[in-house]
Amino acid sequence: MSATTTTTAPAARPAAEPAPRHTTGSGRWTASGMLLPFGAFYVVFLLGPLVYTGIAGFFNGSLVKGGLGSWVGLENYRQALGSADFWSSLGHTIWFTVLTTVPLILIALALALMTDRVSRGKWFFRLAFFAPFMLPSSVISLLFMWIYADEIGLAGSVAKLLGVDAPPSWLGDPNWAMISIAAATVWWTVGFNFVIYLAALQEIPREVHEAAAIDGAGPWQRLRLVVVPMLGRATTLVAVLQLVASLKVFDQIYMMTNGGPDDVTRPSLLYVYQTGFTDGRAGYASTVALLLFVIILLISLVWFALIRRTEKEA
């Protein structure tokens, strides 16, 4: 009896193959229905504002008047491209990106490599390095405004202990303000990149390390010739995400210096905010925002292409 049952069971399976067609059709509609809310959200909150920003850039709009304002054509673009404030704010944005992107990649990689080598208490290091990233930007800004405070700040006290008789005004000195904000940003956000690198390290099989050791590779050679190349995709992801995040900096600078002193820390987004909401020039601010969007998109594409080519050559 059991033998008969065993021989008839496989014959029934081919008859069940057409069923997935109906399932696939209904599944397609189900998937489309589930994606519809996201599509509507994407159109309403991304494509819609982007199109409106492009249109508003051709009008002399204002926040104190209704509608788009009067037609000015390309005048806003001419003023923006000829404005020293626009280019200086863009330069400050790029300077902040340089100060933060490279350290946030290297420090995150170093912390992940050290944590991956720890055999006990690894959870503590994961929590300690990632915890600052969970704090809101307002808390980080207040914390570092106290650390950088003149005369009573922790940074000044540490500098005096190291032999610096007259520590600089970390947020008031034009030469130190952006560096100080960048240092605070690195401490705040390094945990996000650290988690990505640590997850990528744990995906590397132990057999790879053992095979390299059997072939005579030392710790430095295994790190340089095995581990780092296998982290190529993680490095590409971290670099692109970090580049875009740094180019969009706003919160901490707005709360810690508001662009000062002498506008040396004013990034592009703060320039858009001040022209749009402080000066009330909505049309001009839309033009600057669109130009900034195009610049960030081009820089990100070039950066991504360079990293991908380097990854393929490696």
Side-chain angles (χ1 to χ4, degrees):
M1 292 294 289
S2 60
T4 305
T5 304
T6 303
T7 54
T8 53
R13 292 190 177 182
E17 290 183 357
R21 295 182 180 178
H22 302 288
T23 304
T24 302
S26 61
R28 186 182 302 116
W29 285 108
T30 302
S32 301
M34 296 179 68
L35 289 174
L36 184 60
F38 172 76
F41 187 88
Y42 186 81
V43 171
V44 172
F45 293 102
L46 185 63
L47 291 183
L50 183 61
V51 173
Y52 182 82
T53 300
I55 296 174
F58 295 104
F59 294 85
N60 190 18
S62 174
L63 292 181
V64 297
K65 297 179 181 178
L68 291 172
S70 57
W71 171 266
V72 294
L74 298 176
E75 178 62 21
N76 286 332
Y77 288 90
R78 188 190 67 78
Q79 290 185 14
L81 296 175
S83 171
D85 290 337
F86 170 77
W87 291 110
S88 65
S89 65
L90 182 61
H92 300 153
T93 304
I94 294 174
W95 175 230
F96 175 84
T97 303
V98 172
L99 288 175
T100 55
T101 301
V102 175
L104 279 170
I105 294 174
L106 297 180
I107 294 176
L109 176 60
L111 294 177
L113 288 170
M114 290 187 289
T115 304
D116 189 55
R117 301 284 295 179
V118 173
S119 57
R120 301 180 63 181
K122 189 177 294 185
W123 65 270
F124 171 78
F125 295 99
R126 290 175 180 166
L127 177 63
F129 294 142
F130 186 72
F133 183 73
M134 296 186 290
L135 297 175
S137 57
S138 57
V139 174
I140 296 299
S141 300
L142 288 174
L143 175 63
F144 275 89
M145 286 175 68
W146 174 77
I147 292 175
Y148 291 144
D150 297 338
E151 303 297 335
I152 61 171
L154 180 62
S157 301
V158 173
K160 289 180 180 178
L161 289 176
L162 296 177
V164 180
D165 295 331
S169 177
W170 305 103
L171 296 179
D173 189 333
N175 296 321
W176 282 95
M178 186 63 88
I179 297 174
S180 301
I181 296 174
T185 304
V186 169
W187 179 84
W188 174 30
T189 60
V190 71
F192 180 77
N193 298 340
F194 160 77
V195 170
I196 295 177
Y197 269 126
L198 187 61
L201 282 170
Q202 293 175 348
E203 291 295 324
I204 300 177
R206 292 295 174 188
E207 291 79 4
V208 174
H209 295 276
E210 295 172 358
I214 292 173
D215 290 339
W220 172 247
Q221 289 176 315
R222 291 201 299 271
L223 173 64
R224 184 171 59 89
L225 301 176
V226 178
V227 176
V228 172
M230 295 188 73
L231 293 176
R233 292 185 180 275
T235 301
T236 302
L237 176 64
V238 168
V240 173
L241 291 179
Q242 189 55 58
L243 179 71
V244 174
S246 295
L247 290 173
K248 296 190 300 181
V249 63
F250 176 82
D251 300 18
Q252 61 270 42
I253 290 181
Y254 175 73
M255 287 180 276
M256 294 173 73
T257 63
N258 196 24
D262 299 331
D263 292 337
V264 296
T265 61
R266 182 170 66 174
S268 296
L269 277 185
L270 184 56
Y271 180 60
V272 172
Y273 173 81
Q274 290 176 343
T275 55
F277 292 94
T278 303
D279 300 339
R281 302 175 61 190
Y284 180 76
S286 299
T287 301
V288 176
L290 191 62
L291 289 174
L292 179 61
F293 169 75
V294 173
I295 291 171
I296 291 177
L297 182 63
L298 291 176
I299 293 176
S300 301
L301 290 176
V302 171
W303 178 261
F304 184 75
L306 290 174
I307 291 178
R308 291 290 294 175
R309 189 174 69 176
T310 305
E311 182 182 344
K312 289 180 180 178
E313 290 176 355

